[in-house]
């Protein structure tokens, strides 16, 4: 039971909550105004090109030789794609790391490796989480054989024996990964989304301006499709958040919108070509080697997206053996392309590229392979 408050107390609490609100507001603006220039269409060409890096899976089996070797191979894939396409922006589309294989407390070391080819070339980027990014460490069963368990690698700074858990293997939380990415990188446009949407964290929207900087040319929405420490899902609250945001920023659907998340929604299964069949028109793609591994349930996001004529396409990763785009009602559902050498499957690695133009607005996509070839050209809006 709560005791009724005296009027004086009530005034104080009103004042306190006002103060708190002001503090929050100033914190918000402080963190979002960090000297980040707005994203703009390239002047002259009026183009903007985005490379999608999906399922890199850094840090896999770090205790073997092949684990670190495949991270080096993933560096090469990204470098090749970046040097041949020269994108203006990169989206890290989830499963950047395989946290269930990372036996050190702070997985940001591996996250940092994964973003370094992009950072080195001074290209801005944004990231969303996949199901592997915040998983708990899973002890490999072979470690319990006669050869024994490798020595636990706790960072020195965190050894404080007075604390209850001096060295844990609980992965690095989504919030912690994102905080570190943002704090250490001026070029990272990622954001820790609104708290009300937790445990989903990578929920935010970025605006791309026209080349003259006078008006918005594209809105890019990023949503956290869950997995890892909680179910693989886009919640009702996230769907509501998207609806609220889009009504507020783009009430009459004038500005085109594209959407990025990691795990395909159940709508992907509805339009998917039969596994191992030829990908026939209107779908466009080159590999169709498995069934869609979709989210666990649908809580409304797809209905909200398809009700908006401005939403042109959704891009996901997660299924390494699929790289198609298929139309679904008023928009396109696209897979990226398995970019990393980490993760299951040995299909050749590549990256989906997206190109938008202004005057008139067009949205095109294709896949750039590690060996330099391109394929699966598709126009998603014209
Ligand atoms: C992990 O390491 C990064 C630097 O590599 C640091 O900025 C971050 O605060 C660390 N996070 C934790 C939870 O220790
Ligand atoms: C969306 O807007 C409605 C009505 O304004 C509000 O009640 C709700 O809390 C908002 N939800 C989110 C997730 O922003
Ligand atoms: C590049 O790889 C693709 C497979 O992804 C293959 O079809 C193509 O022949 C290769 N091209 C060259 C020049 O090696």
């Amino acid at each position: 039971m709560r005791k009724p408050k005296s009027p004086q107390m009530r005034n104080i609490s009103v004042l306190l909550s006002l103060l708190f609100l002001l503090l929050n507001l100033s914190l918000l603006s402080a963190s979002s105004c960090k000297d980040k220039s707005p994203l703009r269409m390239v002047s002259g060409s009026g183009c903007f090109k985005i490379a999608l890096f999906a399922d890199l899976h850094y840090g896999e089996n770090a205790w073997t030789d092949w684990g670190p070797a495949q991270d080096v191979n993933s560096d090469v894939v990204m470098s090749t794609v970046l040097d041949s396409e020269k994108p203006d922006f990169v989206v890290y589309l989830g499963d950047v790391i395989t946290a269930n294989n990372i036996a050190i407390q702070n997985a940001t070391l591996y996250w940092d490796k994964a973003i370094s080819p992009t950072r080195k070339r001074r290209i801005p980027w944004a990231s969303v989480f996949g199901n592997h990014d915040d998983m708990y460490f899973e002890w490999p069963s072979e470690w319990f054989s006669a050869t024994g368990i490798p020595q636990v690698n706790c960072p020195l700074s965190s050894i404080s024996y007075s604390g209850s858990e001096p060295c844990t293997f609980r992965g690095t939380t989504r919030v912690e990964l994102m905080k570190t990415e943002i704090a250490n990188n001026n070029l990272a446009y990622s954001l820790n989304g609104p708290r009300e949407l937790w445990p989903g964290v990578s929920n935010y929207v970025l605006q791309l301006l026209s080349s003259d900087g006078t008006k918005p040319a594209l809105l890019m929405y990023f949503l956290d499709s869950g997995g890892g420490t909680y179910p693989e899902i886009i919640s009702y609250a996230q769907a509501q958040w998207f609806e609220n945001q889009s009504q507020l920023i783009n009430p009459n659907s004038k500005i085109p919108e594209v959407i990025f998340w990691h795990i395909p929604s159940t709508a992907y299964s509805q339009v998917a070509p039969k596994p191992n069949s030829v990908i026939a028109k209107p779908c466009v793609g080159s590999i169709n080697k498995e069934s869609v591994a979709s989210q666990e349930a649908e809580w409304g996001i797809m209905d909200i997206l398809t009700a908006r004529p401005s939403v042109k396409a959704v891009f996901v990763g997660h299924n390494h053996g699929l790289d198609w785009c298929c139309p679904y009602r008023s928009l396109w559902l696209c897979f990226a392309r398995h970019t990393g050498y980490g993760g299951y499957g040995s299909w050749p690695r590549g990256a989906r590229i997206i190109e938008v133009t202004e005057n008139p607005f067009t949205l095109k996509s294709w896949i750039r392979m590690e060996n330099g070839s391109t394929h699966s050209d598709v126009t998603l809006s014209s």
Side-chain angles (χ1 to χ4, degrees), residues 337 348 369 371 373 375:
R337 174 84 188 202
M369 302 303 294
N371 72 1
S373 66
H375 59 81

Side-chain angles (χ1 to χ4, degrees), residues 257-271:
E257 294 161 324
V258 291
I259 320 286
F260 302 95
W261 67 63
H262 181 72
I263 305 173
S265 53
T266 53
Y268 275 75
S269 315
Q270 293 169 33
V271 297

